[in-house]
């Protein structure tokens, strides 16, 4: 029974949004790029051409590392879950299902606030720790509100709360899968 419901759940899973960290998340590295370009120009003007080529190489290297590390982090919001994937080839993925999310929050450092970016974290029920974090994403409060809205709509559309254990379960369930509370045809 549980398996069937879980498969049904996966089938209806639609990808709503896919994020990477904001380019502004790497402002430190872009600042280094700027310094490196300035050094390149100065060296070129003073005829240290070989050194200026070296700094062009350094600039490109820093820029590529930004592109690469940004692509390493992929954050996905689907109709049923939030996911964080780290890695391009070897992948590490963490996921929280919408109805297991207990808390959605935003953390913004002073630097992040200037650029309108921040971390969105999703804490799941059951464990005390934060399980999925969208780090350095643009418009973090909008993402938080969207996920909260999705979660609320799932809870009200096809879920009900078990009066005995408080878990959200499928509205058609006649017996709670967590505590075996019987609904008696309600
Ligand atoms: Zn229950």
């Amino acid at each position: 029974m549980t398996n069937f419901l879980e498969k049904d759940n996966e089938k209806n899973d639609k990808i709503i949004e896919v994020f990477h960290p904001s380019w502004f998340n790497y402002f430190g590295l872009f600042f280094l790029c700027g310094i490196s370009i300035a050094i390149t120009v100065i060296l070129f003007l003073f005829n240290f051409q070989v050194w200026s080529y070296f700094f062009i190489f350094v600039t490109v290297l820093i820029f590529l590392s930004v592109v690469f590390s940004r692509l390493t982090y992929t954050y996905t919001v689907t109709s049923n879950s939030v996911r964080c994937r780290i890695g391009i080839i070897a992948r590490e993925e963490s996921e929280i299902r919408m109805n297991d999310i207990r808390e959605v929050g935003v953390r913004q450092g002073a630097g992040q606030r200037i650029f309108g970016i921040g971390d969105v974290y999703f804490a799941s029920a059951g464990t005390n720790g934060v399980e999925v974090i969208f780090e350095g994403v643009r418009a973090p409060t909008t993402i938080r509100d969207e996920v909260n809205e999705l979660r609320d709509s799932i809870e009200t559309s096809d879920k009900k709360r078990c009066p005995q254990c408080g878990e959200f379960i499928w509205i058609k369930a006649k017996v709670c899968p967590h505590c075996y509370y019987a609904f008696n045809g309600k």
Side-chain angles (χ1 to χ4, degrees), residues 8-9 22-24 26 34-36 61 77-78 81 86 93 98 103-104 118 121 124 134 144-145 168-169 182:
D8 199 42
N9 199 15
S22 164
W23 289 107
F24 288 120
Y26 304 96
I35 291 174
S36 189
L61 214 61
V77 175
T78 75
S81 68
I86 302 169
E93 193 166 70
M98 277 298 167
E103 193 197 344
V104 188
Y121 64 90
S124 84
F134 292 180
R144 178 197 60 199
D145 296 345
F168 273 104
I169 61 173

Side-chain angles (χ1 to χ4, degrees), residues 34-180:
I35 291 174
S36 189
I37 289 167
I39 293 172
T40 308
V41 171
I42 291 165
L43 287 170
F44 192 78
L45 289 176
F46 286 91
N47 280 319
F48 295 102
Q49 284 199 356
V50 176
W51 278 103
S52 75
Y53 295 148
F54 174 74
F55 274 92
I56 288 171
F57 176 72
V58 169
T59 308
V60 170
L61 214 61
I62 297 170
F63 183 72
L64 286 179
S65 78
V66 170
V67 173
F68 186 77
S69 55
R70 184 175 174 267
L71 287 178
T72 301
Y73 292 86
T74 308
Y75 311 127
T76 311
V77 175
T78 75
S79 51
N80 290 321
S81 68
V82 290
R83 290 177 208 153
C84 166
R85 202 182 66 206
I86 302 169
I88 293 174
I89 298 159
R91 287 168 177 180
E92 186 194 318
E93 193 166 70
S94 47
E95 177 176 20
I96 304 183
R97 288 167 57 170
M98 277 298 167
N99 32 41
D100 289 333
I101 294 174
R102 264 300 139 79
E103 193 197 344
V104 188
V106 169
R107 270 191 304 249
Q108 270 183 312
Q112 288 183 316
R113 197 161 290 147
I114 293 169
F115 294 107
I117 63 174
D119 303 337
V120 187
Y121 64 90
F122 306 92
S124 84
T127 53
N128 295 325
V130 170
E131 283 181 33
V132 170
I133 305 175
F134 292 180
E135 276 182 49
V137 287
R138 201 164 55 89
T141 51
T142 309
I143 296 171
R144 178 197 60 199
D145 296 345
E146 279 171 4
V147 171
N148 269 328
E149 217 167 88
L150 271 172
R151 182 178 63 155
D152 291 349
S153 72
I154 286 175
E155 284 178 357
T156 51
S157 65
D158 55 356
K159 291 272 174 167
K160 60 183 172 186
R161 202 183 267 281
C162 169
Q164 186 165 285
C165 68
E167 290 283 352
F168 273 104
I169 61 173
W170 295 105
I171 205 150
K172 285 177 183 166
K174 292 190 169 65
V175 175
C176 172
H178 304 283
C179 70
Y180 306 109

Side-chain angles (χ1 to χ4, degrees), residues 15-20 74-77:
I15 289 174
I16 290 167
E17 263 173 297
V18 179
F19 314 89
H20 292 288
T74 308
Y75 311 127
T76 311
V77 175

